[in-house]
Amino acid sequence: MLRIFVSLAAIYATVVALAWFFQDRLLYLPHMGREHVGTPADRGMEWEQVDLDTEDGLTLDAWWIPAENPRGSLLFFHGNAGNISHRLDSIRQFNRLGLSVLIVDYRGYGRSEGSPSEAGTARDARAGWRWLVEAAEVPPEEVVLFGRSLGAAVAAELAAGLAPDVSPAAVVLESPFRSVPSLGQSLYPFLPVRWLANLDYDTETYVTRFTAPLLVIHSREDEIIPFSQGEAVFEAAGEPKEMLVIRGGHNTGFLDSEPEYSDGIEAFLEELAGLRRD
C-alpha cells in the first residue's frame, strides 16, 4: 500500500509541476489558427490593415473596418485562440449596429510580433486605444470597449487603467471569467490552481475601477466559462450596468442567439451608452 501511495503521490506531483510549467500554453493558444482564413471584404465590408506600435517596440496586426454613418467605434479584443480573421461574423454584427471596428491581434497571434503575456496584452490594448483616439481621432466618449472570453479581461483591464478623466462610452464583456485562478480552480478542482497560478487577469476587480456603462453578456449553456463566472463579474460592477443572458455555446452563442443578441446590444447602446443612430 505504501508503494502504491508513493507512486500516486509522484504522479500527482508530476501533474502539478506540468500544470505550473505549461500554464501559459494552456491559456494562450495562438497556434490554433495562425493563418488568416479571410478578410472583411469576404463579408462585403470595407477595411484596411493597420500596424499598431506597442510601448515595448512591437508591431501588432490590426484591422480597421469603418461603418457607414457610424454611431461610434468599437475596440475589439478576441479570445485566446485563433486570430482576427476568425471573427468576421462578429465584426459584421457590430458593423450592422453602426459601429466602426478596430480589431487587434495580441502579440504572438496571427501576424503580430512577439509572444503573449499578461503584461503584454495590457500593452497591446493600450496600443489599440491610442490608435483609435490619436491616429483615427475618435473621441473617447464614442469608443466602446468589447472583449470576449480572454478579451473580456483585456478590455476590463484597459478600462480600469485609463486616466480618471478618460472614459469610453461603454464596456461590453462577453463570456467573462472572474480571474484565471478562479476559473482554473473551477475547471481543475483536483489541482491547487490558486497556489499554482502566475497569471491573474482579475476581471472581477477591474470592473470595480471604472464608471463607464457596462454590459455583461453570457450564455447559461457556456461549456468553457461557467455562467456563474459572468454573474459574479456583473455583481461586482457598479451601476450603470446591464446583463444580457443568451443561449448557445461559448464560441457560437453570439450567432445562436440572434436576433436577441444584436437587439440587446442595440438597446444598451441607445439607453445606457448614449450612442444613438442618426
Side-chain angles (χ1 to χ4, degrees):
M1 289 295 294
L2 179 60
R3 188 175 301 172
I4 293 174
F5 176 79
V6 170
S7 296
L8 291 175
I11 292 171
Y12 181 75
T14 300
V15 171
V16 169
L18 289 172
W20 177 82
F21 188 77
F22 289 109
Q23 60 185 284
D24 282 22
R25 298 186 188 183
L26 292 173
L27 179 64
Y28 304 117
L29 304 173
H31 57 281
M32 294 181 65
R34 284 195 178 277
E35 298 301 319
H36 283 187
V37 298
T39 72
D42 298 329
R43 299 292 194 279
M45 296 178 286
E46 298 291 331
W47 71 289
E48 64 177 283
Q49 191 275 332
V50 174
D51 288 332
L52 303 180
D53 297 320
T54 68
E55 301 159 9
D56 53 345
L58 296 179
T59 299
L60 307 179
D61 187 36
W63 287 348
W64 173 240
I65 306 97
E68 187 175 351
N69 300 318
R71 73 205 303 175
S73 296
L74 182 120
L75 181 50
F76 190 135
F77 300 110
H78 62 70
N80 70 331
N83 61 62
I84 54 179
S85 73
H86 296 102
R87 277 73 192 187
L88 292 173
D89 289 328
S90 276
I91 294 170
R92 182 169 58 177
Q93 284 175 318
F94 289 123
N95 246 202
R96 288 175 173 172
L97 285 166
L99 294 168
S100 298
V101 176
L102 177 68
I103 183 169
V104 182
D105 254 339
Y106 312 119
R107 58 189 61 206
Y109 280 74
R111 298 173 182 174
S112 293
E113 297 177 346
S115 299
S117 67
E118 186 167 4
T121 56
R123 295 188 183 101
D124 301 342
R126 291 194 292 271
W129 174 268
R130 284 196 305 274
W131 187 89
L132 267 183
V133 301
E134 295 175 11
E137 299 182 336
V138 178
E141 62 271 17
E142 294 180 9
V143 176
V144 177
L145 303 182
F146 171 81
R148 177 178 289 139
S149 193
L150 172 63
V154 176
E157 184 176 13
L158 175 61
L162 291 174
D165 58 340
V166 177
S167 180
V171 180
V172 180
L173 307 180
E174 185 173 330
S175 304
F177 51 77
R178 297 174 63 188
S179 67
V180 167
S182 173
L183 177 62
Q185 197 63 72
S186 70
L187 296 177
Y188 307 103
F190 55 91
L191 292 175
V193 175
R194 296 183 185 277
W195 176 72
L196 291 173
N198 58 26
L199 296 165
D200 195 10
Y201 286 111
D202 190 358
T203 314
E204 191 172 18
T205 297
Y206 299 150
V207 297
T208 68
R209 297 177 179 169
F210 60 80
T211 57
L214 172 67
L215 176 64
V216 174
I217 306 173
H218 216 118
S219 171
R220 295 186 186 277
E221 301 164 13
D222 194 318
E223 75 283 10
I224 295 178
I225 299 179
F227 181 76
S228 59
Q229 293 269 318
E231 277 189 313
V233 169
F234 177 76
E235 290 299 327
E239 297 289 349
K241 61 183 179 180
E242 289 184 356
M243 186 158 187
L244 175 60
V245 179
I246 61 174
R247 63 184 185 280
H250 181 75
N251 293 310
T252 61
F254 68 99
L255 293 175
D256 297 337
S257 297
E258 282 289 15
E260 294 84 3
Y261 178 86
S262 291
D263 289 347
I265 297 175
E266 171 74 35
F268 171 76
L269 294 175
E270 288 269 352
E271 297 165 13
L272 286 189
L275 295 176
R276 296 177 175 83
R277 294 180 185 267
D278 292 335

